[in-house]
Amino acid sequence: MAGSIQSVERAAAVLRLLAGGERRLGLTDVATALGLAKGTTHGILRTLQQEGFVEQDEASGKYQLGAELLRLGNSYLDVHELRARALVWTDDLARASGESVYLGVLHQQGVLIVHHVFRPDDSRQVLEVGAMQPLHSTALGKVLTAFDPVAHREALELERERFTPRTVTEPAEFEGVLDLIRARGWAADLEETWDGVASVAAPVHDRRRMPVGAVGITGAVERVCDDGEIRARLVAAVRDCARAVSRDLGGGRF
Amino acid sequence: MTDNHTAATSSHGEGPFIAAIDQGTTSSRCIVFDRDGRIVSVDQKEHEQIFPKPGWVEHDAAEIWTNVQEVVSGALAKAGITKGDVKALGITNQRETTVLWDKNTGEPVHNALVWQDTRTDALCKELGRNVGQDRFRRETGLPLASYFAGPKIRWMLDNVEGLRERAEAGEILFGTMDSWVIWNLTGGPNGGVHVTDVTNASRTLLMNLQTLDWDERILSSMEIPATVLPQIRSSAEVYGYAKGALEGVPVASALGDQQAALFGQTCFSKGEAKSTYGTGTFLLLNTGDTPVNSYNGLLTTVGYRIGDQAPVYALEGSIAVTGSLVQWMRDQMGLIKSAAEIETLASSVEDNGGAYFVPAFSGLFAPYWRSDARGVIAGLTRYVTKAHIARAVLEATAWQTREIVDAMNKDSGVDLTALKVDGGMTSNNLLMQTIADVLDAPVVRPMVAETTCLGAAYAAGLAVGFWRDTDELRANWRRAAEWTPRMDAATRDREYKNWLKAVERTMGWIEEEH
């Protein structure tokens, strides 16, 4: 096979060997079975261990398959689990910010709203769970695009519709926006999707630091913005909430 | 803007605050609330569940009191406040759990008998004599069942060596967990006040719902000396002042947990109802200032009483198996890996595919009360998949809610205008929508999930003037989500008929109980 990388082949062989039986194997067992030098084998095992694919038993020093492999085969975070974990934090965000809260995930070239908390006033509001928002113009969508490579590809391949005069559609300018989002850790939508409406969002990470969703608030530009910028207090509240949900998903341990 | 501070410290004012203790079945908690009813801090500690025999469940009341003191200190420490910042302390508790203690030493004479404990089953049958389990229903609103405190007191008097003599000599005090916590908070053997509130007293089978006092006739039928009983007070008044760590803080509310949730959901008007969706579900309907007798298997209970205002009554219906059915699908059937996944699976199909699941695992409860029933899944064809069963699981909770609401409507003549929901299952969007659909009424989730503690805090705050009146509390209530009915009437009627047919098929499965 042209261009195959030897160390990756060897790592695969180690994993296959460890998957072959119930028992744990020592360094010598692995090296002997694969016909490798002990030093090489140790390097491979240590790297796999760092990635969580292999675990070493503390008492015997023997190796076995790691929990990360299970998660690879089962990596999809259930959006309903995400909602259940986010519930208390998003309620608190709505109360702290006075605005409506949305939790979104990437779904079919857009943002699927999986959780919505009403703005805490007495006004009539309709639950928007199940609605879709565009990737390239909303705060939720831009956060996903900046942090999730799959969303990034979708957003670049799609035609980026100009919803308002402020919508960013040109690829180079759009990439610049995404760079800023990555640098700051949050995204804003200042009347780029709906006239008179602004929103701010931050990424939610799981325990492997994968971006699994975005959480944010949306409201009238007069309330959410000050001098043409999102109010710092609201940015802080949104980021606090995103971190709290991430922590609940195990993301805070890294 | 700093990244390190938490939402709690950034968004809560300087106080003052109200602290609420929730002495629950599995743990004791303390939550500190601010003036807007927002949570400032929480501390929680579990206690041991003691199972001496099948069907027996006990708690160590001394352990619980220790835990209560720890979580109160813990919650204050986490909030970064001192007792001087706490305007009042409220209490809510697992209902019916019964403890007897020595008033001179403060030591429990026996482990507390927990509400789930069924050791008084035979005693309850015996107490029913020729009348049956409704012997005291007119006075108390309750059937003679092992949950309630009265028969538990009697069991201890009969079974703890020398206890009856000591009780008659005035050495022994009885309490549900509210009384136990308040007595200890206010000094215990050194001047502790021995009180309970109307909601807890209404779960003893010993209180007359009209007079709101202990019923002499029932006390003599159950052979319980009045000397052991606490004074029955309202749910929101200053019972006394704390000693020890909280020295001087007014102890100012007590409410059974479900009544506290009714209060926390601000169901202050006749016709307002709340439903708490956990492993089981408890639905309470405010029926205003008169106790409504139930002919449909519901309980009549006191909702709350604020100071010397008129008491507010409630009808209560419970569903034994709701969240626990989802757990059963996960743990026993292995069809899902997490409870939240039930929604994912159920959402993968449009409808139940003709399948109906009646989880009568230990018989049918309100409004049927058939102990000979067992669970069924009806309407199976080759077309039905696990996703349809998942849908039927969620619909089971919705239809059981509908049956309770229908029974409440029959008993009270009050039409439900909206259902306020809380509890863990409210994160299930499909379930909440389905409940709205089958009730044909809006389902509303409030912004504070901890409605039970909030209710106790509200009542305590009212008692000390921290909040002016119930209108101010109502103004604090915030709608986090609302599900409006989307099902057409024809579908609803057809599905309800099918559900009732499936319920029919559960009955008479256990033959010897006839």
Side-chain angles (χ1 to χ4, degrees):
Chain A
M1 197 198 301
S4 70
I5 298 166
Q6 193 184 37
S7 57
V8 176
E9 283 178 345
R10 286 174 171 173
V14 170
L15 291 177
R16 266 191 223 104
L17 182 69
L18 290 172
E22 292 290 314
R23 64 205 166 167
R24 296 167 179 155
L25 297 175
L27 174 61
T28 317
D29 306 327
V30 178
T32 312
L34 299 180
L36 294 173
K38 263 198 192 175
T40 311
T41 310
H42 186 247
I44 292 168
L45 281 167
R46 215 186 45 217
T47 309
L48 288 171
Q49 195 183 349
Q50 278 163 8
E51 295 296 327
F53 295 144
V54 160
E55 287 168 6
Q56 189 176 20
D57 182 57
E58 273 186 38
S60 63
K62 293 191 171 184
Y63 294 91
Q64 63 189 18
L65 291 182
E68 191 62 24
L69 277 174
L70 289 175
R71 272 183 225 108
L72 269 188
N74 183 22
S75 63
Y76 165 72
L77 174 73
D78 193 297
V79 296
H80 301 111
E81 185 75 40
L82 179 60
R83 183 198 299 136
R85 301 292 186 107
L87 206 68
V88 288
W89 306 112
T90 46
D91 278 3
D92 205 52
L93 176 58
R95 288 205 79 147
S97 66
E99 301 296 340
S100 51
V101 176
Y102 296 86
L103 178 68
V105 299
L106 177 67
H107 180 72
Q108 293 175 348
Q109 296 108 41
V111 183
L112 172 68
I113 302 302
V114 297
H115 184 48
H116 171 199
V117 185
F118 288 170
R119 188 172 65 249
D121 56 25
D122 279 337
S123 65
R124 219 61 210 167
Q125 294 166 71
V126 176
L127 203 60
E128 291 173 48
V129 171
M132 295 291 290
Q133 290 187 0
L135 272 179
H136 69 281
S137 64
T138 62
L140 292 175
K142 285 194 278 186
V143 162
L144 292 174
T145 306
F147 291 96
D148 182 342
V150 180
H152 185 245
R153 198 186 60 224
E154 306 278 11
L156 285 182
E157 283 174 0
L158 281 172
E159 191 210 342
R160 290 176 296 282
E161 191 182 335
R162 193 170 202 91
F163 297 113
T164 76
R166 304 190 59 155
T167 314
V168 175
T169 57
E170 290 309 310
E173 195 187 351
F174 187 55
E175 287 291 5
V177 168
L178 296 179
D179 283 340
L180 180 64
I181 292 167
R182 285 185 206 104
R184 296 202 293 197
W186 54 276
D189 165 3
L190 301 165
E191 298 187 85
E192 293 157 54
T193 315
W194 303 281
D195 281 323
V197 175
S199 60
V200 52
V204 173
H205 296 283
D206 70 1
R207 59 174 302 284
R208 293 174 298 167
R209 303 285 294 155
M210 294 296 288
V212 289
V215 66
I217 58 171
T218 297
V221 68
E222 296 81 4
R223 288 194 309 264
V224 175
C225 293
D226 188 22
D227 242 357
E229 285 289 330
I230 303 280
R231 291 174 195 273
R233 180 180 71 82
L234 297 178
V235 174
V238 166
R239 299 188 74 193
D240 281 340
C241 176
R243 265 191 293 268
V245 179
S246 301
R247 208 160 43 233
D248 234 349
L249 294 169
R253 278 181 288 156
F254 292 83
Chain B
M1 176 178 58
T2 64
D3 281 356
N4 295 326
H5 66 196
T6 64
T9 51
S10 66
S11 54
H12 294 280
E14 291 294 298
F17 304 99
I18 301 285
I21 296 168
D22 177 6
Q23 200 303 294
T25 306
T26 56
S27 71
S28 302
R29 301 194 303 159
C30 181
I31 301 187
V32 175
F33 291 93
D34 70 6
R35 191 176 289 277
D36 296 333
R38 292 182 58 193
I39 294 171
V40 179
S41 68
V42 185
D43 198 28
Q44 175 164 3
K45 192 157 191 220
E46 293 195 1
H47 54 261
E48 190 188 355
Q49 306 293 315
I50 304 163
F51 307 106
K53 289 185 187 181
W56 291 27
V57 188
E58 299 178 354
H59 290 159
D60 177 353
E63 180 194 5
I64 284 177
W65 168 236
T66 305
N67 289 0
V68 165
Q69 296 173 82
E70 284 182 22
V71 296
V72 170
S73 312
L76 263 55
K78 284 185 188 174
I81 61 175
T82 63
K83 66 179 162 93
D85 301 314
V86 180
K87 284 290 151 217
L89 191 57
I91 289 133
T92 177
N93 56 292
Q94 52 168 324
R95 302 179 301 174
E96 297 120 11
T97 295
T98 300
V99 59
L100 292 176
W101 68 94
D102 185 312
K103 81 192 235 188
N104 296 312
T105 65
E107 281 178 33
V109 298
H110 190 277
N111 277 337
L113 305 193
V114 179
W115 58 276
Q116 300 143 320
D117 188 298
T118 55
R119 79 185 66 184
T120 55
D121 268 344
L123 177 62
C124 287
K125 282 211 179 75
E126 189 191 312
L127 287 169
R129 293 201 306 207
N130 50 345
V131 186
Q133 67 168 13
D134 283 340
R135 183 174 170 205
F136 303 125
R137 191 186 267 275
R138 201 154 39 88
E139 295 86 348
T140 65
L142 308 173
L144 262 166
S146 62
Y147 300 115
F148 305 114
K152 293 184 197 290
I153 303 175
R154 165 70 179 273
W155 186 93
M156 284 198 260
L157 291 172
D158 287 351
N159 289 277
V160 177
E161 177 94 27
L163 189 60
R164 181 169 290 281
E165 291 70 29
R166 289 166 70 195
E168 278 162 1
E171 293 167 20
I172 300 298
L173 301 179
F174 148 77
T176 38
M177 298 318 280
D178 54 317
S179 302
W180 170 245
V181 170
I182 293 171
W183 188 80
N184 279 294
L185 275 171
T186 54
N190 306 311
V193 293
H194 188 218
V195 295
T196 187
D197 93 298
V198 279
T199 68
N200 278 293
S202 76
R203 317 297 291 192
T204 56
L205 264 170
L206 304 175
M207 189 188 79
N208 187 301
L209 281 176
Q210 298 291 343
T211 65
L212 301 183
D213 206 347
W214 305 114
D215 187 300
E216 300 287 347
R217 195 181 67 88
I218 300 175
L219 288 179
S220 70
S221 305
M222 283 203 205
E223 297 171 34
I224 293 172
T227 52
V228 303
L229 300 173
Q231 195 187 4
I232 301 175
R233 305 277 283 267
S234 80
S235 319
E237 61 176 283
V238 177
Y239 308 120
Y241 295 86
K243 299 281 188 326
L246 288 175
E247 191 76 38
V249 176
V251 181
S253 77
L255 289 150
D257 51 11
Q258 297 306 325
Q259 280 91 341
L262 186 75
F263 207 85
Q265 286 271 26
T266 66
C267 294
F268 299 133
S269 300
K270 186 173 169 176
E272 288 190 292
K274 73 89 200 173
S275 191
T276 304
Y277 290 93
T279 41
T281 289
F282 290 89
L283 209 157
L284 269 73
L285 170 74
N286 180 327
T287 60
D289 53 14
T290 44
V292 173
N293 286 324
S294 177
Y295 300 95
N296 293 285
L298 305 171
L299 307 181
T300 309
T301 197
V302 181
Y304 59 88
R305 180 181 196 176
I306 302 169
D308 49 17
Q309 295 176 24
V312 171
Y313 293 90
L315 275 174
E316 172 174 328
S318 56
I319 310 171
V321 181
T322 51
S324 55
L325 180 59
V326 175
Q327 290 164 0
W328 181 85
M329 289 283 282
R330 181 192 64 197
D331 302 335
Q332 254 92 334
M333 293 293 103
L335 288 175
I336 45 173
K337 289 191 294 289
S338 70
E341 223 185 286
I342 192 84
E343 187 176 354
T344 313
L345 188 54
S347 303
S348 66
V349 287
E350 289 292 302
D351 55 31
N352 60 22
Y356 298 82
F357 195 152
V358 187
F361 289 163
S362 43
L364 285 170
F365 292 71
Y368 302 103
W369 298 104
R370 290 283 296 258
S371 54
D372 64 339
R374 286 298 178 269
V376 300
I377 303 176
L380 294 180
T381 59
R382 284 185 68 175
Y383 172 75
V384 170
T385 65
K386 64 178 180 178
H388 294 118
I389 303 289
R391 205 147 181 128
V393 159
L394 296 182
E395 290 178 359
T397 292
W399 288 121
Q400 287 177 282
T401 304
R402 167 76 187 262
E403 288 179 324
I404 301 274
V405 168
D406 282 1
M408 285 183 168
N409 175 257
K410 270 189 218 157
D411 282 332
S412 67
V414 176
D415 263 325
L416 184 77
T417 47
L419 184 66
K420 292 178 170 179
V421 295
D422 48 63
M425 285 180 100
T426 55
S427 73
N428 191 314
N429 200 60
L430 179 60
L431 174 63
M432 294 300 116
Q433 181 62 52
T434 308
I435 292 171
D437 285 344
V438 309
L439 293 182
D440 196 21
V443 166
V444 186
R445 183 176 79 79
M447 221 159 250
V448 172
E450 303 288 354
T451 53
T452 304
C453 272
L454 185 62
Y458 275 172
L462 280 181
V464 299
F466 186 71
W467 288 293
R468 248 189 346 269
D469 50 28
T470 51
D471 286 345
E472 191 180 347
L473 300 180
R474 250 188 218 288
N476 258 347
W477 191 89
R478 294 282 180 276
R479 184 187 289 113
E482 176 166 341
W483 293 268
T484 45
R486 292 200 296 232
M487 191 181 264
D488 64 272
T491 310
R492 179 164 46 243
D493 293 346
R494 185 193 67 226
E495 289 297 305
Y496 196 16
K497 238 163 103 184
N498 287 344
W499 163 261
L500 293 173
K501 273 195 317 204
V503 169
E504 198 66 33
R505 276 155 180 80
T506 65
M507 296 181 192
W509 181 258
I510 303 291
E511 289 182 15
E512 58 266 46
E513 295 203 11
H514 265 307

